[in-house]
Amino acid sequence: MAIEVRKVVLESVGDASGLAALIDDGVFDADGVVAVVGKTEGNGGVNDFTRILADQAFRKVLMEKGTRPVEEVDEIPMVWSGGTDGILTPHATIFAKVADEGPASDEPRLAVGYAMSDVILPEDIGRPAMVEKVAEGVRRAMAEAGIEDPADVHYVQTKTPLLVMETINDAKARGHTVFTEDPLESMNVSNGTSGLGIAVALGEIDMPTAEQIGHDLDLYSSVASCSSGVELDQAQTVVVGNVPGAGGRYRIGHDVMKDALDQEGVYRAIRSAGLELPERARAEDLDGRLVNVFVKCEADPTSRLRGRRQVSLDDSDVHHHRHIKGAVGGVVASAVDDAAVFVSVAALHQGPSGGGPVAAIVDLG
């Protein structure tokens, strides 16, 4: 079996017609879908219900067009990142297993693995216990993908719980404290703790101390893309990498954007995936070979960008997540000539401070 990967646009909040069309056209079977990573058009916050609507729409199509029981369809990892600020387009990237009809080859090709962690308790978020649980989930997802060498992992997408008043009060009732009592801030903390778990699993860093979580910004993973929400109480982990002999046409690579203007970081990730580009690349050099790019970003905590003062962190009207997502979305979309790119915020411990990881999937034909 090989992995087929396609991108579809969401024409409305609950639109899954792109998925249905791919199945009807025989690109892959409904029962072959193994993961979905997408952007929805909500506010990207704790109460973003568009993630749930998209999730329901995609699972409904898989139930209607496939034979798997509802219990199996419910287990398919679907990671939805809310918020398409600026010019970003709501879309989904679909990964599916298909029969590999091409000639046998030892060339590295796309492989995907999935795992759920142990339950992450409210008091775990932002603490070493969560780092350990996420790391163990990443290792199991690697094994499922057939990836033995951490260097062959180029993208790890997680979805983890965050804190809401109900879970905060639950922890207190059981005699525990929580990292923060601000639900929105807990999104950033949950993402960052997951990023450290990924970094530990892949050997990028040693196990951090409790004091380093959320504070030591020199600790990060260069392949982590972490989201959080109220939809689950475990770490849902999708590992994407390359495996020799996996078959198929696709390969993934990664790099990092050093800051919000580092358009070259996108091209470095595409080159890492195996697509040859000139030294001064432009969107037309991609020749239709790019499937999608996946980017994490954040407003630089120093409030400086290449020496220039930035004011988004001081804005009381529009949260800095909205500012930076729209800005980086424009930079990345311009680099690849496509507004349907995956750009997500809250990049604590994911890539260098003020920048973020970039993963790129290309079709090598």
Side-chain angles (χ1 to χ4, degrees):
M1 302 295 288
I3 296 294
E4 181 69 32
V5 54
R6 296 293 182 96
K7 180 169 67 179
V8 298
V9 168
L10 277 60
E11 297 294 350
S12 63
V13 177
D15 175 41
S17 61
L19 169 62
L22 289 171
I23 296 170
D24 291 343
D25 292 343
V27 175
F28 49 72
D29 294 332
D31 291 345
V33 173
V34 295
V36 177
V37 178
K39 290 292 300 181
T40 66
E41 61 201 74
N43 61 20
V46 175
N47 63 336
D48 186 347
F49 60 87
T50 65
R51 300 188 299 248
I52 297 173
L53 294 176
D55 192 273
Q56 290 174 339
F58 271 63
R59 293 187 198 276
K60 181 180 178 182
V61 168
L62 295 182
M63 284 296 301
E64 292 175 346
K65 295 185 177 293
T67 62
R68 286 182 286 190
V70 63
E71 294 82 9
E72 290 187 21
V73 173
D74 285 343
E75 287 295 314
I76 298 169
M78 294 191 184
V79 180
W80 298 100
S81 171
T84 46
D85 302 81
I87 63 171
L88 291 173
T89 297
H91 70 280
T93 304
I94 304 158
F95 300 84
K97 289 184 177 180
V98 296
D100 183 20
E101 299 176 353
S105 171
D106 290 333
E107 285 292 313
R109 290 293 185 269
L110 195 72
V112 178
Y114 161 70
M116 294 291 283
S117 76
D118 292 338
V119 170
I120 295 174
L121 300 170
E123 59 267 27
D124 293 339
I125 295 173
R127 290 167 176 160
M130 181 174 177
V131 175
E132 293 172 349
K133 290 178 179 180
V134 171
E136 180 57 30
V138 172
R139 295 186 188 104
R140 286 191 278 108
M142 282 179 61
E144 189 197 23
I147 300 174
E148 298 179 358
D149 187 348
D152 291 329
V153 175
H154 296 277
Y155 177 53
V156 182
Q157 178 69 59
T158 61
K159 186 79 175 189
T160 53
L162 46 71
L163 293 168
V164 294
M165 294 314 300
E166 181 180 359
T167 55
I168 292 169
N169 291 330
D170 171 67
K172 288 181 177 180
R174 291 183 289 105
H176 296 281
T177 62
V178 293
F179 189 94
T180 177
E181 296 192 18
D182 180 347
L184 184 57
E185 175 58 22
S186 79
M187 175 182 291
N188 194 44
V189 171
S190 181
N191 290 359
T193 313
S194 297
L196 292 175
I198 294 166
V200 167
L202 301 180
E204 296 177 283
I205 63 169
D206 294 328
M207 183 68 190
T209 65
E211 293 74 22
Q212 288 176 302
I213 299 174
H215 300 289
D216 187 346
L217 302 185
D218 289 331
L219 300 181
Y220 63 82
S221 170
S222 61
V223 299
S225 178
C226 306
S227 295
S228 52
V230 299
E231 302 97 315
L232 70 176
D233 61 3
Q234 298 166 275
Q236 183 183 72
T237 303
V238 179
V239 168
V240 188
N242 299 313
V243 172
R249 310 194 315 267
Y250 303 97
R251 193 154 70 193
I252 187 169
H254 80 277
D255 208 285
V256 296
M257 289 180 71
K258 298 173 183 177
D259 60 29
L261 292 177
D262 187 16
Q263 194 175 72
E264 287 300 316
V266 177
Y267 295 132
R268 291 194 299 269
I270 295 170
R271 290 189 188 96
S272 169
L275 194 63
E276 293 186 6
L277 296 175
E279 183 177 351
R280 296 291 292 175
R282 298 172 60 87
E284 52 263 36
D285 298 321
L286 302 177
D287 195 28
R289 297 284 192 170
L290 179 70
V291 178
N292 206 0
V293 289
F294 306 85
V295 181
K296 289 294 292 189
C297 63
E298 64 172 1
D300 195 304
T302 67
S303 291
R304 293 275 170 175
L305 177 57
R306 301 191 181 183
R308 301 295 193 186
R309 187 170 72 96
Q310 303 286 288
V311 299
S312 66
L313 290 172
D314 294 322
D315 193 336
S316 298
D317 296 314
V318 180
H319 195 275
H320 59 85
H321 282 178
R322 314 298 293 267
H323 284 283
I324 196 65
K325 192 189 307 176
V328 173
V331 170
V332 175
S334 176
V336 301
D337 194 26
D338 188 354
V341 288
F342 186 94
V343 177
S344 177
V345 289
L348 178 67
H349 296 310
Q350 300 151 78
S353 182
V358 186
I361 297 175
V362 301
D363 183 348
L364 296 178

